[in-house]
Amino acid sequence: MKKLATIIFVLAISFVLFYSWYSKNRATVNDNTARQQIVITGSSTIAPLMSDIAKHYEQLHPDIRIDVQAGGSSRGIADTRSGLADFGMVSRSLKPDEQDLLAFTIARDGICIIVNSANPVEELSDEQIVAIYEGRLTNWQQVGGRDAKIIKVNKAEGRSTLELFLKYFNLDNKRIKADVIIGDNQQGIKTVAGNPNAIGYVSIGSASFEAGRGVPIKLLPMKGYAASIENVVNNSFPIVRSLNVVSREQPVGVLKDFIEFAMSEKVKDVIQTHYFVALTN
């Protein structure tokens, strides 16, 4: 009996110690009292913007730390559902099978075709873009450019930019004959900037920002509309999307305060710095 009592005592003490540790370190979605960290994962399009919003929030709330990790919209969905993240970043509208999540739109963006700035081609039709990505047009000379092989840059599975590109052009990813597979926008921009014969598609905000810094890329118009922030604002550009943050349930406490901050006028200048469109425009 003494041995059994000792075992029970040790287990009880172990449970108390574990619970004490867990209570101090957990980061559950609705802990609104002792929360010290907010975890946000997902879209690489939104991640740089969210990192800056997080920095501003941390300056106002020194006791809060916000961990922002990229990895694609699919990761944002999965991590939020599993509880690994408090919020997921998703740079598209939610699909029908994702309606179990709540979406909060923080900005808008577009998706555009980019080529190297040394490429003489100034515009491509939708039909030409489809033919290029399906491998039916293989030389820039066929679309008014130089005699050079077209290097097609495609996005990896799980990226919302890929999903929207495929949907707009009614393409099957299995039919795309890609030369290079990339993950985030920065990889795509870097690849096209480094190869005068490459073509890719990325966020208008990211491309505008990098082109403004002198990175040698050119944003091509679509259907006669320039790939510009102005045309995202007025919805005339063909591919415009919402930049969303998602959660499993209605945020409360610190989470509610943060998401309201991320959607407020207080971060409008941050959004514009990243060449995205603030909702208040």
Side-chain angles (χ1 to χ4, degrees):
M1 289 296 291
K2 288 184 178 180
K3 186 176 181 180
L4 180 59
T6 301
I7 292 173
I8 294 173
F9 177 78
V10 170
L11 289 174
I13 293 297
S14 298
F15 177 79
V16 170
L17 291 174
F18 173 78
Y19 185 78
S20 177
W21 172 87
Y22 178 77
S23 298
K24 291 180 180 178
N25 291 279
R26 70 193 180 105
T28 56
V29 171
N30 286 321
D31 177 11
N32 60 2
T33 55
R35 168 173 291 278
Q36 296 299 314
Q37 185 180 51
I38 298 173
V39 178
I40 307 173
T41 70
S43 167
S44 58
T45 297
I46 304 175
L49 167 63
M50 185 55 67
S51 292
D52 278 354
I53 291 176
K55 289 176 184 175
H56 281 66
Y57 189 82
E58 288 175 338
Q59 289 172 357
L60 297 172
H61 305 83
D63 57 325
I64 304 299
R65 290 293 174 268
I66 303 174
D67 181 16
V68 179
Q69 304 172 23
S73 293
S74 293
R75 180 189 176 187
I77 294 288
D79 285 357
T80 303
R81 277 177 167 163
S82 68
L84 290 175
D86 298 299
F87 291 115
M89 298 174 288
V90 183
S91 48
R92 56 167 172 75
S93 299
L94 292 182
K95 300 175 183 178
D97 63 353
E98 295 168 345
Q99 297 304 312
D100 56 306
L101 299 174
L102 299 174
F104 304 89
T105 302
I106 61 171
R108 290 190 298 145
D109 184 30
I111 296 172
C112 67
I113 302 295
I114 59 170
V115 297
N116 189 281
S117 59
N119 192 325
V121 171
E122 295 295 334
E123 186 169 0
L124 293 168
S125 68
D126 287 1
E127 293 73 22
Q128 287 174 324
I129 293 168
V130 170
I132 286 172
Y133 272 89
E134 289 186 339
R136 292 182 283 112
L137 291 176
T138 60
N139 193 296
W140 281 111
Q141 201 169 42
Q142 295 173 284
V143 291
R146 293 185 293 262
D147 182 13
K149 178 186 175 182
I150 300 174
I151 304 300
K152 299 174 290 296
V153 181
N154 196 31
K155 286 267 191 171
E157 292 283 356
R159 302 285 175 165
S160 62
T161 309
L162 168 66
E163 295 177 23
L164 292 167
F165 176 79
L166 296 176
K167 181 178 180 180
Y168 175 79
F169 288 106
N170 195 27
L171 274 166
D172 182 343
N173 200 32
K174 295 178 181 177
R175 302 205 317 258
I176 290 181
K177 311 297 182 183
D179 298 290
V180 181
I181 303 292
I182 53 93
D184 60 29
N185 290 303
Q186 292 306 315
Q187 286 180 304
I189 291 168
K190 184 177 180 180
T191 301
V192 173
N195 190 323
N197 302 317
I199 182 172
Y201 55 93
V202 297
S203 150
I204 286 180
S206 299
S208 298
F209 178 77
E210 296 299 338
R213 294 175 56 240
V215 175
I217 58 171
K218 180 164 53 178
L219 288 67
L220 298 188
M222 290 180 65
K223 292 189 179 299
Y225 292 99
S228 66
I229 304 304
E230 292 73 23
N231 285 336
V232 172
V233 171
N234 62 33
N235 282 311
S236 60
F237 197 75
I239 313 180
V240 175
R241 59 179 172 176
S242 298
L243 302 183
N244 297 308
V245 173
V246 301
S247 67
R248 284 195 301 178
E249 49 193 78
Q250 196 67 41
V252 297
V254 172
L255 294 180
K256 180 176 184 290
D257 188 64
F258 173 74
I259 200 64
E260 289 177 349
F261 178 81
M263 298 172 64
S264 73
E265 283 273 350
K266 297 175 182 177
V267 298
K268 181 177 179 178
D269 58 334
V270 180
I271 291 170
Q272 292 174 336
T273 298
H274 284 264
Y275 289 83
F276 294 130
V277 176
L279 299 181
T280 52
N281 277 13

